[in-house]
Amino acid sequence: MDGINCRTIGFSLLPSELIQDIFLRLALPEIHRVKSVSKTLTPVITCKHFLREYNVRSVTDSWVFVYKKRSSLRDSVLYGFTDRLNRWFSIPVYGLLSGVVPPGDDLYFLTASGDFFLFASNRRQELIAVNFSLNTVKKIPSSLLGPRGTSSWRRSGLKLISGPPGSDRFRFLFAERYMNRPVLFEYNSESDTWRIVQTSGNQPCGDRSENVYLSVTHHGSESVILGVRPQLGLGDELPVILRPRFDNEGPRKD
């Protein structure tokens, strides 16, 4: 332990610009690990200049996540692969979730965005959002459809959208057929409320390049998809309804 402390102290004596340049090359799980084991280096990582520069560099990173669920939350592991460093990382889950998830609960990983990871509890039928950068955990209240088990969450029909880098704000969207209509359900962490966005027909599409697409239904060769603006707010345009059809010649849209 003394050897580790000596190396940490020696490293901290380097110029702060050099230390920040080294840390800027690390992936988020490595940054999180440094913060958890070294109080000496934490101020370097948490300063506004470093956070701003790190967020700018990592905004284009692509990640693939695999959650290895075991009978015990302590033994479950979330793995992440990033194209920037071309390797896998083990991301700690138990340390943050142990205080809010009862022993023996059946926890599933749903999706991620920015610093946020979204989990679903099967037994308690609730959603849990974790911010690994700020070490915060938030339970999301039940939507207007009520509590849901993990089998009700279709990956292609939901989207987590994180707020500005360094913030603890996020939006969670999912699409369902409700009252025989495609409906968008949206949770906003800032207001801690849900809202329903209904539409009765196809809306003008405009530029779709930035839309988020959520699957509502898929039967045979036909699908119903909602195209949603990532920055939708109250009073903004309604979601776009798309009905692509697929045949032997490939997809086409009427």
Side-chain angles (χ1 to χ4, degrees):
M1 181 64 68
D2 291 339
I4 295 177
N5 289 335
C6 289
R7 289 194 295 271
T8 302
I9 294 173
F11 183 78
S12 65
L13 294 177
L14 294 173
S16 59
E17 294 82 3
L18 179 57
I19 295 177
Q20 288 192 5
D21 184 66
I22 294 173
F23 285 164
L24 286 171
R25 302 171 189 271
L26 302 180
L28 183 60
E30 295 172 315
I31 296 292
H32 184 274
R33 187 171 302 172
V34 171
K35 289 171 61 178
S36 64
V37 301
S38 175
K39 294 183 179 179
T40 304
L41 297 173
T42 297
V44 179
I45 301 173
T46 55
C47 79
K48 293 182 179 179
H49 172 75
F50 174 81
L51 291 175
R52 182 168 56 251
E53 183 64 24
Y54 187 86
N55 289 326
V56 169
R57 295 194 182 193
S58 61
V59 70
T60 57
D61 290 357
S62 296
W63 285 84
V64 173
F65 296 102
V66 176
Y67 183 55
K68 191 170 185 178
K69 189 178 74 68
R70 296 191 172 100
S71 57
S72 169
L73 177 62
R74 182 187 295 272
D75 298 325
S76 300
V77 182
L78 179 63
Y79 295 101
F81 178 87
T82 172
D83 61 340
R84 180 159 63 95
L85 298 178
N86 196 34
R87 64 190 183 94
W88 288 89
F89 294 90
S90 175
I91 302 174
V93 173
Y94 176 76
L96 286 174
L97 293 176
S98 59
V100 296
V101 178
D105 203 346
D106 202 12
L107 200 68
Y108 286 76
F109 171 69
L110 289 183
T111 185
S113 175
D115 298 333
F116 288 94
F117 296 80
L118 188 66
F119 295 85
S121 167
N122 199 38
R123 294 182 182 177
R124 299 172 67 88
Q125 296 190 334
E126 61 185 9
L127 295 173
I128 303 171
V130 179
N131 186 318
F132 277 100
S133 180
L134 299 179
N135 291 339
T136 58
V137 179
K138 183 178 182 62
K139 290 186 178 181
I140 299 177
S142 297
S143 72
L144 302 178
L145 293 179
R148 316 182 86 197
T150 54
S151 61
S152 300
W153 296 111
R154 294 175 295 104
R155 304 298 179 90
S156 56
L158 59 86
K159 181 70 174 181
L160 186 67
I161 302 177
S162 60
S167 75
D168 201 26
R169 302 196 302 271
F170 65 92
R171 294 164 58 228
F172 174 54
L173 314 174
F174 74 92
E176 292 284 347
R177 180 173 288 277
Y178 180 67
M179 301 296 288
N180 205 31
R181 293 180 179 177
V183 175
L184 173 68
F185 295 82
E186 176 184 353
Y187 170 78
N188 189 316
S189 67
E190 193 168 16
S191 61
D192 196 30
T193 57
W194 287 90
R195 71 174 181 128
I196 294 180
V197 184
Q198 299 188 31
T199 178
S200 58
N202 294 338
Q203 303 296 323
C205 296
D207 181 12
R208 302 178 188 161
S209 60
E210 296 184 356
N211 278 0
V212 171
Y213 293 98
L214 308 174
S215 173
V216 181
T217 59
H218 176 73
H219 297 288
S221 61
E222 297 187 359
S223 297
V224 176
I225 297 173
L226 290 186
V228 184
R229 292 288 187 181
Q231 302 302 324
L232 264 181
L234 290 174
D236 287 328
E237 63 185 275
L238 296 176
V240 176
I241 298 179
L242 303 175
R243 303 179 186 274
R245 294 181 180 179
F246 301 87
D247 54 27
N248 295 333
E249 298 178 357
R252 71 174 187 271
K253 185 180 70 67
D254 289 349

